[in-house]
Amino acid sequence: MKVYDMFSGIGGFSLGFSLEGFKITACAEIEEYPSKVYAKNFPNVINYGDVTRQKYTIGQFDIIIGGFPCTDISIASKTKRGIYGERSILWKEYFRAISEIRPKYCVIENVFMLLGRGLNEILSDLAKIGYDARWTVIDTKYTGSPQRRRRVYICGVRDGIPRDSNLFEFEKRNITELREKILLIDKSFEWDFREGEEKRKGFTYHTRQRSDEFKNLGVSGTLTKRDYKSFTDLVVDNIGVRRVCPTERLRLQGFPDDWHLEDASDTNKFKYNGMSVNSVRWVANQIKKFESKYGRRTNGTI
Ligand SMILES: C[S@@+](CC[C@H](N)C(=O)[O-])C[C@H]1O[C@@H](n2cnc3c(N)ncnc32)[C@H](O)[C@@H]1O
């Protein structure tokens, strides 16, 4: 299945899908630094650049994946205009690509605030062109990484979603069980200030609260682009207190340590942190299972 990663950034979506065996054949990214990182890690994938200038043909790709800019959607948004904002309106370009290519699947990712700032419109846009869709919220901390990162994933399916299918396995997801596991991991990393020096081991994340106080929540807070000027988390380890370093940021997102360019500045490493590869992998795996069970149907056989 040929995959097109729109708004590809440093390639988190592509990495998750390729680790699940999908073949990424094209991407689209306009910014220089992320484009270079992407090219380093996916040298055979063509970068179309600006999505607004692309012309597509029907059947060009089987799957389109992409997280369009969240600038007007996120909690930090000044405009709060959602998908009608100046940058997040790029959803319409994503939608145009789906309408013109008509891939079998499309996967859209965005921040949690999309629930009230565009999800309705996206689902109804998809319905208008005959795509069934399911959506869910996945928190990275439930997919194997100690970071709180809630993201909305929408999966559109051209040939319909049979009623008996459970694309996002809602029934099987035992959040309570997972939560207990996460707490166990968190506890093993906790360091109690009252304990003696000899017991100093491991580390804890301390996340900045709205009041500007730092609190130990067990997992790290959501990594953000603006962490290069300010910072959300502090790490308390057996040496002292420090910021989360670029390699830890990559690990928290599920990327290999050498993902960035070797000579990259810290600003770039902080600014471009991609997306949760673990969560993407989980979604890609769900699509794989769905495809092997229902993939041979054609339109209208629900
Ligand atoms: C939310 S980020 C995507 C992150 C990406 N999935 C990753 O793993 O790094 C959105 C990306 O869209 C890119 N972008 C914005 N406008 C674009 C355009 N007109 N054409 C292509 N890419 C664009 C931005 O530079 C940014 O990297």
Side-chain angles (χ1 to χ4, degrees), residues 14-195:
S14 292
L15 178 59
F17 267 73
S18 57
L19 288 171
E20 287 299 317
F22 291 90
K23 187 173 169 50
I24 320 295
T25 49
C27 72
E29 172 57 52
I30 38 170
E31 276 195 50
E32 190 183 339
Y33 180 76
S35 299
K36 282 186 180 161
V37 175
Y38 193 99
K40 171 194 163 194
N41 292 292
F42 296 97
N44 300 320
V45 175
I46 175 172
N47 181 356
Y48 290 157
D50 188 350
V51 295
T52 63
R53 303 166 80 91
Q54 275 322 298
K55 289 197 168 60
Y56 304 110
T57 52
I58 191 157
Q60 201 177 345
F61 301 103
D62 304 298
I63 307 185
I64 308 183
I65 56 181
F68 61 96
C70 62
T71 330
D72 307 289
I73 301 169
S74 73
I75 219 151
S77 157
K78 290 198 181 88
T79 68
K80 298 186 176 49
R81 293 197 59 216
I83 57 164
Y84 300 108
E86 200 184 326
R87 304 267 298 142
S88 299
I89 193 87
L90 281 165
W91 153 248
K92 291 294 173 191
E93 281 301 321
Y94 193 157
F95 181 59
R96 178 175 71 84
I98 303 168
S99 314
E100 291 177 11
I101 298 168
R102 295 201 62 80
K104 208 164 178 186
Y105 301 96
C106 57
V107 185
I108 301 136
E109 181 259 9
N110 217 290
V111 294
F112 180 74
M113 294 299 284
L114 182 74
L115 296 185
R117 293 183 183 164
L119 178 66
N120 269 349
E121 288 84 347
I122 292 176
L123 295 177
S124 74
D125 279 350
L126 290 172
K128 276 182 218 151
I129 55 168
Y131 278 65
D132 278 3
R134 290 280 186 279
W135 64 270
T136 188
V137 176
I138 302 173
D139 190 330
T140 309
K141 69 182 183 188
Y142 296 122
T143 59
S145 177
Q147 181 192 175
R148 177 182 196 255
R149 190 180 191 85
R150 290 178 300 169
R151 289 292 180 264
V152 180
Y153 286 84
I154 305 162
C155 181
V157 184
R158 183 193 62 200
D159 301 332
I161 302 176
R163 272 178 189 276
D164 65 339
S165 72
N166 187 0
L167 187 56
F168 285 128
E169 287 188 346
F170 291 112
E171 285 140 32
K172 280 199 208 158
R173 283 157 65 182
N174 188 338
I175 298 294
T176 319
E177 206 175 86
L178 279 168
R179 185 168 289 145
E180 273 163 19
K181 244 190 238 168
I182 300 255
L183 284 178
L184 273 179
I185 297 170
D186 298 345
K187 281 261 179 290
S188 66
F189 281 119
E190 244 175 64
W191 172 41
D192 186 339
F193 284 98
R194 289 162 303 186
E195 288 175 357

